Amino acid sequence: MKPQLHRHQQPSCSQKKKSFSQRKKNRGRKMTRQPPPRNSPHNDDDDDDDDDIPIDRWEPTTATGDDIEQKNTMSENGSNDNNDDENEVKRQASELIQRQRKSVDTLTHIRNCIDSLPSDELKQRLSLPDGKIIIDNFLKDPNLVDELRAETISLYENSKLATLELGSGEYGGAITGGESYVDSPRCVEFVVSLTKHLPSHVSEELNDGASEGRALTFHRSARESALALLLGGDAAVMEGEEEESATRAFEFVNSSDDDVRMVSVVYYLVPESWDESCGGGLTFQEEGEERMLAEAKANRLVVFRSDGCLHRREYWIGKEGIDYGSCIVVHLVKKQG
């Protein structure tokens, strides 16, 4: 039997044995190969040796620390800005609530003072053509009285009032709401509450939704300066001479048929030490030659018929140590239609 011959298969290229020189060369490379330095990046070809690389604890460098501090500062500044904005919104909201509460308290107090007036007596007296009544200690809150007086002086000092008569030292202007409310909020609320609630105690003919309100402020120093310019010489001497001769004519508030003013109210805001010699009062012409003086007095309310009371406004004079005097004047009007 013929022996079977086995054909010798040549190894593939990948299976060929390396020559002695190649193996020697590779062995030298393995012996000279060094591990990658600590904390330095290594090549992807060395992944088999990753587990043998020691890992040092990370220490921030100076540059890294500055960068973090800068980020923290930016974060804190952003947080502070947000907090400042929130605090400002809260502050404004709180102030708005306080102003609203103050306004409501003022309107309510004035209404209560009006409701405490002798309604029957008011109606009886002011039903007469020349009816009038004087009410002392009208407001019960001294702080509110002080605020009203301070506002009338502030209106003058901030040039919100105009000269009423040259050389008189008297300045006046309308009390209105809207944009002007911030100039004298308590005065506006006084006029609003008086307009709304006093008519029902006086006459059904009055309109409780409309009126004419004005502030009048007297400044003694301004009067003296004006007199010195107008009359010449020493202001004090000229003032004395002026006082002896200067009087206004008697008049009606409402002097025409188309004038709708029916009842006038004067509320005095003068210091407690103000007396008759300081002027500023109202003199009413009675029957015949009789006259009645309603002198300016702190917290005094004078109510009279606009169309029937013949009266004279006395000049404001003041005295040493009393430089300011003021009042709020409100004219209540008839209903229309």
Side-chain angles (χ1 to χ4, degrees), residues 148-302:
L148 288 166
R149 182 168 182 263
E151 285 186 357
T152 58
I153 295 174
S154 177
L155 288 172
Y156 163 75
E157 291 179 339
N158 289 286
S159 302
K160 302 293 184 179
L161 305 179
T163 302
L164 296 180
E165 183 179 331
L166 195 61
S168 67
E170 299 173 14
Y171 302 82
I175 297 176
T176 59
E179 294 180 356
S180 299
Y181 172 80
V182 296
D183 297 328
S184 54
R186 303 293 84 82
C187 290
V188 172
E189 290 152 6
F190 181 90
V191 173
V192 169
S193 193
L194 206 70
T195 303
K196 180 67 177 177
H197 303 294
L198 187 59
S200 62
H201 294 272
V202 175
S203 172
E204 295 180 355
E205 297 181 52
L206 290 173
N207 187 340
D208 63 0
S211 68
E212 178 184 316
R214 297 180 64 82
L216 186 151
T217 299
F218 165 76
H219 189 204
R220 183 170 180 264
S221 297
R223 181 174 188 264
E224 291 180 351
S225 299
L227 289 176
L229 289 173
L230 291 173
L231 305 177
D234 182 79
V237 175
M238 294 298 105
E239 182 181 5
E241 295 178 356
E242 182 73 7
E243 290 173 14
E244 293 179 0
S245 59
T247 56
R248 291 185 171 111
F250 283 92
E251 60 184 359
F252 295 103
V253 171
N254 179 341
S255 57
S256 63
D257 294 337
D258 58 351
D259 193 328
V260 296
R261 291 176 293 182
M262 180 177 174
V263 173
S264 295
V265 181
V266 178
Y267 178 63
Y268 285 104
L269 294 162
V270 294
E272 293 289 343
S273 56
W274 193 279
D275 56 33
E276 183 180 344
S277 66
C278 297
L282 295 171
T283 298
F284 292 95
Q285 179 71 59
E286 304 282 61
E287 293 182 4
E289 295 298 323
E290 292 185 14
R291 296 176 180 178
M292 185 197 82
L293 173 65
E295 65 181 83
K297 185 178 179 181
N299 201 16
R300 166 172 282 184
L301 195 74
V302 181

Side-chain angles (χ1 to χ4, degrees), residues 48-194:
D48 293 339
D49 299 326
D50 283 352
D51 292 339
D52 298 330
I53 300 174
I55 305 299
D56 286 346
R57 181 169 57 88
W58 180 80
E59 295 289 344
T61 63
T62 303
T64 306
D66 289 344
D67 184 59
I68 291 178
E69 182 178 354
Q70 183 179 5
K71 289 181 179 179
N72 290 339
T73 302
M74 293 174 63
S75 176
E76 290 175 0
N77 289 341
S79 178
N80 289 338
D81 289 343
N82 291 335
N83 290 337
D84 290 343
D85 291 342
E86 292 177 2
N87 291 336
E88 178 64 18
V89 171
K90 291 179 181 179
R91 184 188 65 79
Q92 292 180 358
S94 177
E95 288 182 354
L96 177 61
I97 293 173
Q98 293 299 322
R99 289 195 297 268
Q100 290 175 336
R101 287 177 178 172
K102 180 64 176 178
S103 178
V104 171
D105 290 344
T106 299
L107 292 168
T108 302
H109 179 79
I110 297 171
R111 177 179 182 175
N112 291 338
C113 291
I114 292 172
D115 290 342
S116 67
L117 296 176
S119 184
D120 292 340
E121 185 179 1
L122 276 169
K123 289 180 178 179
Q124 180 181 359
R125 291 200 181 188
L126 295 172
S127 65
L128 303 173
D130 60 347
K132 65 187 75 66
I133 188 171
I134 298 174
I135 300 164
D136 287 330
N137 301 315
F138 172 57
L139 296 180
K140 313 308 178 186
D141 183 357
N143 291 328
L144 177 55
V145 176
D146 291 341
E147 286 185 76
L148 288 166
R149 182 168 182 263
E151 285 186 357
T152 58
I153 295 174
S154 177
L155 288 172
Y156 163 75
E157 291 179 339
N158 289 286
S159 302
K160 302 293 184 179
L161 305 179
T163 302
L164 296 180
E165 183 179 331
L166 195 61
S168 67
E170 299 173 14
Y171 302 82
I175 297 176
T176 59
E179 294 180 356
S180 299
Y181 172 80
V182 296
D183 297 328
S184 54
R186 303 293 84 82
C187 290
V188 172
E189 290 152 6
F190 181 90
V191 173
V192 169
S193 193
L194 206 70

